[in-house]
Amino acid sequence: MDAATIRIVLADDQPLVRAGIAMLLSVQAGMEVVGEAADGLQAVNLARELQPDIVIMDLQMPNLDGVGATRQLTADDFTADRGHTVKVLVLTTFSNDEQVYAALRAGASGFLLKDGVPTDLANAIREIHAGNAYLHPAVTRSVIADLAHRSGPAPRKPGRFDRLTPRECEILQLMAHGLNNREIAERLFLAEATVKTHVCRVIMKLDVEDRTQAVVLAYQNHLVEPA
């Protein structure tokens, strides 16, 4: 197996849904479904055993729901290898479901609606594996702002935002307004690769897992105000 292959566990209580996703991903270059789980508890156990890169997570499942499973999978001590983290992509039916907010707060790297086009799923997996976040277009900045509001104020770390350069602050603000890397590059007349580098530095300096958590932190600390 190629070292660059993205290893995936599917967690959904509907066998036909799992079969459909597995078939879709089987034709994607560089992706392999290494396990399937019918509930959140199985997903956690499989992920601990198989150490996948990404778990595609349904929210409504028996025994342990997707939110509880996500919280365990993204915990700091879940994997013995500190260099490896398990990312969670929530695949859900409703964009306004309360559990979507809970899943993002629990550490999910993004979510996608089940009625999306097949290419969206592959793109979301690649983005999350690259350390970015993927939010379905239905997730507007008001949803992210609401998430930050629901989460309450973030614990302040001395100098946390002082670490950012003016350009990084500017890019974080554009991220919070829902722009992707290409759109930010066009807005600031920068190369997209340069923007990606800045985004990675923002995530590193803020000591967060991904783009979504950086945006939430920006709202929580009033670096960006909801429109």
Side-chain angles (χ1 to χ4, degrees):
M1 182 180 65
D2 191 324
T5 298
I6 303 172
R7 304 175 72 251
I8 301 162
V9 164
L10 306 178
D12 195 297
D13 62 340
Q14 299 181 47
L16 286 178
V17 172
R18 295 199 308 271
I21 296 172
M23 183 176 298
L24 173 65
L25 297 182
S26 68
V27 299
Q28 294 293 326
M31 295 184 190
E32 180 187 7
V33 175
V34 297
E36 297 184 21
D39 59 50
L41 188 58
Q42 286 183 15
V44 171
N45 290 336
L46 264 181
R48 184 171 284 114
E49 175 187 350
L50 301 175
Q51 296 292 296
D53 299 299
I54 293 175
V55 175
I56 297 178
M57 183 76 70
D58 187 26
L59 292 179
Q60 299 285 350
M61 292 186 294
N63 296 327
L64 180 64
D65 66 13
V67 173
T70 296
R71 188 173 294 112
Q72 292 191 39
L73 291 171
T74 59
D76 290 340
D77 59 351
F78 182 75
T79 60
D81 180 3
R82 302 293 292 178
H84 178 76
T85 58
V86 178
K87 304 291 183 65
V88 176
L89 170 62
V90 171
L91 190 61
T92 184
T93 303
F94 304 107
S95 62
N96 60 348
D97 195 321
E98 278 291 318
Q99 286 189 307
V100 172
Y101 293 103
L104 290 175
R105 286 199 303 271
S109 294
F111 77 85
L112 188 66
L113 298 183
K114 286 185 176 179
D115 62 0
V117 297
T119 52
D120 285 345
L121 179 59
N123 290 338
I125 290 169
R126 291 190 177 98
E127 284 292 309
I128 289 175
H129 185 252
N132 300 318
Y134 190 97
L135 301 177
H136 189 277
V139 185
T140 63
R141 61 180 170 177
S142 61
V143 173
I144 296 295
D146 191 30
L147 170 62
H149 175 72
R150 291 162 183 262
S151 300
R156 288 185 174 273
K157 292 186 178 181
R160 180 177 242 186
F161 286 97
D162 293 341
R163 303 171 190 165
L164 302 182
T165 66
R167 175 65 85 187
E168 289 165 352
C169 285
E170 185 178 23
I171 285 177
L172 176 57
Q173 289 169 335
L174 292 175
M175 288 162 54
H177 285 104
L179 276 67
N180 60 32
N181 288 357
R182 178 182 55 78
E183 292 166 337
I184 294 173
E186 292 173 354
R187 177 76 65 89
L188 299 180
F189 303 102
L190 298 172
E192 189 171 345
T194 301
V195 172
K196 184 176 181 179
T197 298
H198 282 306
V199 170
C200 290
R201 287 175 178 166
V202 167
I203 291 170
M204 179 185 67
K205 289 181 179 181
L206 294 183
D207 192 24
V208 292
E209 288 294 325
D210 54 39
R211 191 186 193 102
T212 303
Q213 302 303 321
V215 168
V216 170
L217 194 66
Y219 277 113
Q220 289 175 318
N221 286 274
H222 304 291
L223 186 68
V224 181
E225 295 296 338

